[in-house]
Amino acid sequence: MSASQEYFEEKEKIDFLLYQGYQITRVSENLDGAAVEFERAGTTNQEREVLLLQTADARKYFSSIMFHQQKNLTPAE
């Protein structure tokens, strides 16, 4: 499978979880990639999903999403 195809598959998984109302809550990176933990916001039973992202482009993509999530949480000055 090509690197671009792997990226698009990982991106689709991220987008699907975000569409379902999940937010990135934790990231653990190692030589195999990044384990990204998602939690569904506003649920009582703490629904969690973990994705292992191996492509560099997918890791850049989730980090840009994290940046926007954090930016939306901080009060505007």
Side-chain angles (χ1 to χ4, degrees):
M1 183 181 320
S2 71
S4 62
Q5 183 62 33
E6 287 180 48
Y7 162 67
F8 286 120
E9 287 180 7
E10 291 179 342
K11 182 181 180 300
E12 281 181 354
K13 292 176 185 177
I14 294 169
D15 290 341
F16 177 75
L17 289 173
L18 294 173
Y19 179 76
Q20 296 294 318
Y22 286 84
Q23 291 187 333
I24 297 171
T25 56
R26 181 176 295 160
V27 177
S28 175
E29 294 197 69
N30 58 37
L31 295 176
D32 294 328
V36 182
E37 186 175 304
F38 293 80
E39 256 184 45
R40 184 174 280 176
T43 59
T44 56
N45 58 354
Q46 301 257 335
E47 297 177 53
R48 291 189 179 140
E49 295 286 336
V50 177
L51 293 180
L52 177 60
L53 304 176
Q54 297 178 321
T55 65
D57 288 331
R59 294 194 302 263
K60 287 185 233 176
Y61 181 65
F62 87 74
S63 47
S64 69
I65 292 169
M66 282 182 53
F67 174 78
H68 289 290
Q69 284 180 352
Q70 290 177 349
K71 185 177 176 183
N72 290 335
L73 292 176
T74 59
E77 295 183 41

